[in-house]
Amino acid sequence: MCSLSATDLAMSTAESASSALATPSAINEGLRLYQIFKKGDKRSIKVDSYFQVYEELFSRYVGQPVVFVEVGILNGGSLFMWREYLGPQARIIGIDFNPGAQQWAAHGFEIHIGDQSSAEFWDDFYRRVGPIDVLLDDGGHTNKQQLTTAVKAFDRVNDGGLIVIEDVCASYMRQFDNPSSRSFVNFAKFVIDSVNRRNSNLRPTRNGYWRRVYSVAFYESIVVFNIDSRRCWVGQPVDNGGVGNNALDYRGRGVSRWLFDFDRWTALMSRIVLVKSIKKRVLRLAYFVANKVNDAGLSKYFR
Ligand SMILES: C[S@@+](CC[C@H](N)C(=O)[O-])C[C@H]1O[C@@H](n2cnc3c(N)ncnc32)[C@H](O)[C@@H]1O
């Protein structure tokens, strides 16, 4: 048996973790998109860890008549990169606040000049362009810009399409007025709450995001909303009808099982003569205490 001191263990863990770290080139050199990016003669600025994500997300559209929209044109390089990568069938649309970006229309791209933080801009954009397949946001990165861009796209992206918001590291940066409870990353977490509540055991959220967003994926500094209303039904339990052997079900057994027993509490409350509002408050307090007891020791995972 091998015995390691706490320091040895910490060191070996750190070593194995660092030796497991991939170098960007080991991954990127094998990616077709990265090769196209590198040889592009118009400037594009991306993060080197994004190309693996792009390939994962966009390779299915290569050679397809996809409607691909990128917010943020700057020097035009990424428009050319997407066109070469996706092929001649793709309709590549660029959006920028800078009127100078209109020059790229002469190269066969559809260019729209406007402010991505304006709801009116998006209404007009979708009226003119129609539904799209992919929206990639590499624009101004403020909370309002990223939020408006995503929310206005929820109903305009075709089923099976993607909304990809990049540089969500801005949600942690002062330069972008963050951290804030209204940061884009907090919004993405809010959307995943809506998706998770699309379940027959729960009440769906009023915002209705769950009707269009099939799933949310979080990458390093990229958030992806997979849009597909065909897959957004309210999940119901199904039974395969197989033979059961009355196995004991230990689901949901916390330390404070008794405190958490909803039926017990409501039964108890209904028997006690009290004003309804006070009963409600007592119940709420009971659940608050139960939660605290059950969650004790978990805060270390939230640091
Ligand atoms: C990071 S650059 C885009 C980089 C480009 N995609 C590339 O690969 O090189 C950001 C672009 O977003 C544009 N932008 C900033 N604020 C915007 C807004 N409110 N609406 C639309 N575009 C905006 C800027 O003018 C700039 O061209």
Side-chain angles (χ1 to χ4, degrees):
M1 202 183 110
C2 136
S3 68
L4 284 175
S5 71
T7 328
D8 289 339
L9 190 63
M11 279 177 69
S12 73
T13 312
E15 275 162 24
S16 60
S18 66
S19 64
L21 271 183
T23 57
S25 60
I27 299 287
N28 281 344
E29 293 305 329
L31 302 177
R32 183 175 153 250
L33 182 64
Y34 186 67
Q35 298 303 332
I36 295 172
F37 167 79
K38 270 203 328 186
K39 70 177 176 57
D41 60 355
K42 304 282 186 297
R43 190 170 184 209
S44 167
I45 307 165
K46 293 288 187 189
V47 177
D48 62 5
S49 53
Y50 290 1
F51 291 91
Q52 53 193 338
V53 183
Y54 292 150
E55 284 276 5
E56 199 178 309
L57 300 173
F58 302 148
S59 60
R60 71 179 105 151
Y61 297 110
V62 171
Q64 302 297 317
V66 59
V67 182
F68 186 99
V69 180
E70 182 172 34
V71 182
I73 297 174
L74 202 59
N75 299 293
S78 54
L79 293 177
F80 288 88
M81 174 179 79
W82 297 124
R83 182 156 71 190
E84 186 171 347
Y85 178 69
L86 295 168
Q89 300 223 58
R91 184 176 163 199
I92 310 287
I93 303 175
I95 295 174
D96 209 288
F97 194 59
N98 175 6
Q102 192 63 52
Q103 65 178 295
W104 304 110
H107 295 262
F109 300 106
E110 285 178 48
I111 304 297
H112 294 257
I113 302 300
D115 179 2
Q116 68 174 133
S117 65
S118 150
E120 295 72 37
F121 164 75
W122 286 112
D123 290 339
D124 182 56
F125 173 82
Y126 288 114
R127 205 175 304 119
R128 288 198 272 157
V129 166
I132 65 170
D133 297 301
V134 177
L135 176 68
L136 173 63
D137 179 8
D138 183 20
H141 312 323
T142 67
N143 296 333
K144 189 175 180 192
Q145 288 163 349
Q146 292 178 330
L147 265 154
T148 315
T149 302
V151 170
K152 294 304 282 184
F154 280 158
D155 286 331
R156 306 304 185 130
V157 170
N158 288 321
D159 280 334
L162 304 171
I163 300 170
V164 182
I165 311 291
E166 66 181 49
D167 291 339
V168 301
C169 51
S171 285
Y172 309 90
M173 295 164 72
R174 275 217 200 112
Q175 184 191 343
F176 295 94
D177 298 325
N178 285 311
S180 153
S181 61
R182 298 294 180 251
S183 73
F184 178 77
V185 166
N186 279 334
F187 170 72
K189 292 176 191 169
F190 182 71
V191 176
I192 203 61
D193 286 339
S194 175
V195 170
N196 282 329
R197 294 189 76 87
R198 188 174 59 217
N199 182 287
S200 59
N201 292 310
L202 298 164
R203 202 179 304 143
T205 54
R206 265 181 296 164
N207 58 49
Y209 296 141
W210 56 274
R211 291 178 192 278
R212 293 285 292 144
V213 181
Y214 169 59
S215 63
V216 185
F218 292 83
Y219 296 84
E220 178 239 306
S221 219
I222 297 179
V223 169
V224 182
F225 299 108
N226 287 292
I227 302 298
D228 205 333
S229 42
R230 299 167 304 185
R231 294 167 187 259
C232 293
W233 65 80
V234 175
Q236 305 282 343
V238 276
D239 191 325
N240 71 352
V243 179
N245 64 356
N246 294 321
L248 276 179
D249 187 343
Y250 284 93
R251 265 181 292 187
R253 295 241 163 162
V255 187
S256 54
R257 177 72 179 155
W258 193 90
L259 276 175
F260 264 131
D261 194 327
F262 184 80
D263 295 337
R264 197 194 297 262
W265 273 101
T266 32
L268 187 71
M269 282 292 110
S270 64
R271 261 181 265 133
I272 300 174
V273 192
L274 271 178
V275 187
K276 221 175 168 186
S277 65
I278 297 180
K279 276 187 186 179
K280 244 187 183 172
R281 255 179 265 165
V282 174
L283 265 179
R284 218 178 290 148
L285 180 68
Y287 289 118
F288 176 78
V289 174
N291 272 319
K292 287 284 167 215
V293 174
N294 238 13
D295 293 349
L298 296 184
S299 40
K300 60 176 182 278
Y301 299 117
F302 287 84
R303 277 176 206 142

